[in-house]
Amino acid sequence: MRLTWRDAATVPFMAAIIAVYTAHLGGADGWLLASTRGNATAILVLGTVGGCALGSAAEVFEGDRRSTGVELYATLTGLLGLAALVGGAVALIAANGSALAVLFGATMALWVLSTLRHLFTAAAPRPGGELGPYTHEVIDQPPVRH
């Protein structure tokens, strides 16, 4: 595959997540940065909009669905997504800094894995792409006269 506009669109969201979490660790003041719950909310919203909404899980399953690599990737990203969700919920409910760190780490790992997969995975063949340049001659037959 190759990097797409979606990969470029996620960069500002991930940069904002890094900025928010780094500011929180640095002890920044502000209505959002000072609290663990505020940071968890920001990371959950930015990760959902910048990662989930711009992502496309369907492209993972194009081509050979029985591939071990696809199964491993889907399992790993599913577990990371679950870790992010649980970490975010615990960070919101209990204002737990460790859960916030899990949320941040899982979100960043999901982004890195997705970007690396786009860089290093061969593109799946498009439907009809393997037919060749003269396919239209077979499909668009002139009418037969008897």
Side-chain angles (χ1 to χ4, degrees):
M1 297 177 110
R2 63 180 207 280
L3 295 178
T4 64
W5 67 271
R6 292 177 183 198
D7 295 305
T10 60
V11 172
F13 290 97
M14 296 305 123
I17 288 172
I18 292 170
V20 165
Y21 187 69
T22 304
H24 175 71
L25 290 180
D29 289 334
W31 64 274
L32 181 67
L33 302 176
S35 74
T36 301
R37 287 185 177 112
N39 276 274
T41 302
I43 292 173
L44 281 169
V45 168
L46 289 169
T48 300
V49 173
C52 296
L54 290 174
S56 177
E59 67 188 23
V60 172
F61 299 105
E62 290 177 351
D64 186 14
R65 294 182 184 183
R66 295 171 305 226
S67 170
T68 305
V70 171
E71 288 179 3
L72 178 65
Y73 178 78
T75 303
L76 182 59
T77 55
L79 290 173
L80 281 171
L82 182 62
L85 181 63
V86 170
V90 171
L92 284 173
I93 294 168
N96 187 323
S98 298
L100 181 64
V102 167
L103 171 63
F104 174 76
T107 302
M108 295 311 295
L110 283 166
W111 176 62
V112 168
L113 282 174
S114 171
T115 304
L116 289 175
R117 186 180 61 81
H118 289 161
L119 279 174
F120 296 114
T121 304
R126 293 161 66 183
E130 68 279 352
L131 297 177
Y134 302 108
T135 304
H136 68 280
E137 294 174 358
V138 176
I139 295 172
D140 299 325
Q141 290 287 320
V144 177
R145 297 176 194 225
H146 295 277

